[in-house]
């Protein structure tokens, strides 16, 4: 919808719509997946957080720690990914 109407919707309204959509799709622990049918992952969580940050929204990055593998000192794509 946004793509189809992008030239007819003022920028501030587009930003609000995008922010609202991301907020609605956010899991309780501030993580996101590609859509509601798939599990959350580090890539989509990062993109959602960066988008919100660029829109001037307050963000909570604590959910990213769900993907941190302290044994390997690196982030993994999925929370339950085997080491």
């Amino acid at each position: 919808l946004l793509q189809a109407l992008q030239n007819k919707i003022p920028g501030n309204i587009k930003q609000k719509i995008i922010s609202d959509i991301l907020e609605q799709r956010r899991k309780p622990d501030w993580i996101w997946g590609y859509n509601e049918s798939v599990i959350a992952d580090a890539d989509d969580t990062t993109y959602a957080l960066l988008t919100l940050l660029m829109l001037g929204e307050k963000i909570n990055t604590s959910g990213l720690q769900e993907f941190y593998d302290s044994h390997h000192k690196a982030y993994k794509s999925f929370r339950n990914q085997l080491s």
Side-chain angles (χ1 to χ4, degrees), residues 34-62:
Y34 180 75
N35 61 40
E36 293 87 16
S37 301
V38 298
I39 62 172
D41 62 81
D43 296 339
D44 290 311
T45 295
T46 301
Y47 288 128
L49 289 170
L50 286 172
T51 300
L52 289 170
L53 190 62
M54 289 173 22
L55 292 173
E57 300 289 334
K58 293 184 188 259
I59 62 169
N60 180 340
T61 59
S62 63

Side-chain angles (χ1 to χ4, degrees), residues 3 15 22 29 33 52 62 69 78 83:
Q3 219 170 15
Q15 290 177 346
L22 287 173
D29 44 1
L52 289 170
S62 63
D69 180 346
F78 301 99
S83 300

